[in-house]
Each structure stands twice: as C-alpha cells, then as structure tokens.
Amino acid sequence: MKNVFYTILVTLITLFFAELVLRMVVKLPDPYQHLRVKSHSTGEVIRLQNTRNTDVRFVFNPNTLWPKEEKNIVDIHINNFGFRHLEDVDTSRNEFSIFAIGGSTTQGYDYAYEKSWCQVLEKDLEEHFDQPVNVYNGGTAGAAMFDHIALLQNRVMHLKPDMVILFAGVNDVNVLVGDDNIYRFDDIYESVEAVSWYQLGLARLTLYKMYLNAKQNFGKRPQKEHKIEPEEDEIEISPNVPVQFADHLASPAATQELPMAKVMPDVNTPYYAKMVRSFIATCQVNNIPVMVMTQPTTWLTEDEELQKYHWMNKNKEFRFEKTFMQETMDIMNDDVLEISKELNVPCFDLDQVIPKNGEYFYDDCHFTPKGSVMVGNTLSTFIKDNNLIHIN
C-alpha cells in the first residue's frame, strides 16, 4: 500500500515540476479562451457582428502565397460601434465619415490595420483633401446581404454618414448554392460548444494543452507548411485578450475531400439583385450617398499555386465546378453594374481592375497585403477621379 502511495506522490511531484518547466519554455494559447470571455448580444437583429470595445488577437497559419515578410499575428481593435477602427464613432466631430460594409474581404483581419483597404483609402483621402476623414470598417466574416442591410439599418443609418460603400458578393454565392433558407423565415440558433468545467480547468495547464495539440494533429496527413516566425515578444498572448484562429491550409484540404456534384444547383441570382436594390434604396431614401463595388474571385485563375488554395466552391455535401462558381459570380457582378447604372449609383468595378493571381490573392477571394493596399489605392483614385466626395 505504501508503494502505491509513494508512486502516486512521486508522479504528482514530477508532473508539478514538469508543468513549471514547460510553462517557462513552451508558449501555447488556451484552446478555450473564447469561452472564458464574457460576451453579450445586442439582439438578433444583426446576425453577425463584432463585439464593441474589444481588442482581439488574430492568429493564422498562412499558405505559401503569404509573403514571408508579413506577420501571422495581428492585433485587432473594435471600436464603440463594433467597427474595426482605432477611433470611436463620434458624430460631434467635424469629419468626413465613410462606412464600409462587407464580409471578410472588407474586414481584413489577416493584415495589419494600416494595410487594410479601408485604412489605405482613409489615409489617401485625408492627404488629398487635407481634411479629417474616417473610413469605418464594418466588414464581418461570413456576412451576406441580409447582414449588410441589418447593419446599415440598425447601426449606421442614424449616424448620417457622408458615404456608405457596399462590397459584397462572394458570401452570397455561398448562401445561394448551399442555404435552403435564404429568406430567413425561421430563427437561427447557433450551436454552443459543450466543454465541461474540468476541461476548462485542465486547459490552463501546459501539459494538457500539449495533449490537446497532439490529439488534434494525430492521424493528419503531413502538409508542407509555409510558417512565418513572429517576433519573440509577439508570441505571448494575454489571458485578457480574446484570440481568433484561422488556417489557410485546412479549408482547401477539406474542400478537396468532398465529392464533386454531378448536377450543379439552381442559383437564385435575382434574390441577390433584389437585396442590392434594397440596400441602395435604404441609403437613397435617407439621403445617404452610396457606392458599390463588384466582387473579384479567382476560380478561373491561371496561377497554379493559387488554384491549390480554393475552398469556397462547395456547400456542406459537395464541391462544385469552378467554372460554375465563376459564371454565377459574373452574373451577380453584372447585376450590380446594371443596378448601379439604373439607380445612378457609382460602381467601382474592382473585378476588372485587380489581377487574379497569387500576388494579390491567397485563395478564392481574400487579398494578400499587397492586394488589399491596391484595393484601397485604386478605390481612392476612382472616388477622386469621379468627384464623389465634396469636402469644404
């Protein structure tokens, strides 16, 4: 009996000292950090939104198209209205306010604040007009037109912005090919991750984090990873800062494992056109200047390296021919161009401006830092050349 007691005691002491040593030499993020942060919802009117007054650390595993000189840990600040902007929204300021509304291609969590196209646009307009301009980034990953309209009506419209920019399309393609409830007739309930109290406690231990990492990676096929080593002082993640993770490699691999659909689905593109009309009409009846942008995608790119990282040509059960996806996106972009002409709304045809290769994109539609900077610069040129902003 004594031998059993001493064995257990020695084991516990060994584990204790092992934990102390590992904490000093191994830095692993808490896998359940997102469950420890208290969050609240402002209601179900806006389906997807950023938690206001929040600092987030975005960590991602890049693919081979990501420039080696760029970091893969980005600090994100969300202001008092839920926008990615260092300054709070304050209508008492004498500023020209622009609100950019879109999905992840507007949000731009992959790159530093100053390289997001919203900030590139803001800086260029400020230098040109020599007046304060704020471009508030209202991009939210996964957001589609029903989200954009909700954000416009409930978070932006009453602020009386000087301009609203709509940059949408690719998430709506995914909705139309994979969602049988595009009109949102029923309530949507998000699944809650079930983690027991003892798992939350164990996850504070480095030994348990190492076990979870080993368990997650066990049996995975080895992949050639293009890792970017962050600076040593940037690896430390504060326990008070929520962390979001992304993997540029996992999603393409998962898509490739899906069977190819034998029949391409019917796509209700008129639905998208009606939603774009609704967005524009909401701005116009409230005397808010609005402009739209077409959505570039790389499904038919000739860049073979870029082709390997496509992952959005799917629904839950099948993957679809990239030709079908591009043809659908082309129809939706043509509708945007036609609607903007009919309603006398400026349309920046980004789809025809930006090259479709791995220098400017790292997957189906997301920009590299160079691509994001190009979007901001060319959009600024379009706005200035067409005299869309009048600042006294």
Side-chain angles (χ1 to χ4, degrees), residues 304-369:
E304 295 182 0
E305 188 70 10
L306 179 54
Q307 290 175 12
K308 297 191 301 187
Y309 299 119
H310 289 157
W311 61 276
M312 300 181 76
N313 55 313
K314 62 173 175 49
N315 60 15
K316 293 179 181 179
E317 299 176 346
F318 303 102
R319 58 188 170 99
F320 304 110
E321 296 286 353
K322 294 178 184 179
T323 303
F324 160 75
M325 297 295 292
Q326 188 61 58
E327 288 174 351
T328 302
M329 191 73 257
D330 289 343
I331 292 172
M332 293 165 64
N333 279 336
D334 288 344
D335 285 342
V336 169
L337 288 166
E338 184 178 334
I339 292 168
S340 65
K341 186 176 181 180
E342 177 188 337
L343 300 181
N344 195 28
V345 169
C347 179
F348 178 46
D349 195 1
L350 180 62
D351 180 52
Q352 298 299 314
V353 173
I354 190 167
K356 312 294 181 59
N357 59 48
E359 192 175 354
Y360 297 91
F361 293 87
Y362 68 80
D363 66 3
D364 312 63
C365 64
H366 295 100
F367 309 119
T368 61

Side-chain angles (χ1 to χ4, degrees), residues 10-81:
V10 170
T11 302
L12 291 175
I13 292 174
T14 302
L15 290 173
F16 174 76
F17 281 104
E19 176 67 23
L20 288 180
V21 173
L22 287 171
R23 283 196 178 199
M24 290 187 289
V25 298
V26 179
K27 303 293 184 182
L28 290 174
D30 185 347
Y32 303 131
Q33 179 63 37
H34 60 290
L35 299 178
R36 303 184 199 279
V37 180
K38 290 183 179 179
S39 61
H40 65 277
S41 172
T42 56
E44 297 181 355
V45 176
I46 303 177
R47 183 182 68 112
L48 298 174
Q49 57 180 296
N50 298 311
T51 303
R52 58 186 179 145
N53 299 315
T54 302
D55 291 302
V56 178
R57 179 155 281 194
F58 187 70
V59 183
F60 59 94
N61 182 29
N63 61 32
T64 58
L65 295 174
W66 196 257
K68 293 181 179 180
E69 67 274 11
E70 295 289 341
K71 297 173 182 177
N72 66 328
I73 297 180
V74 182
D75 289 316
I76 309 294
H77 175 71
I78 306 300
N79 72 6
N80 62 331
F81 267 68

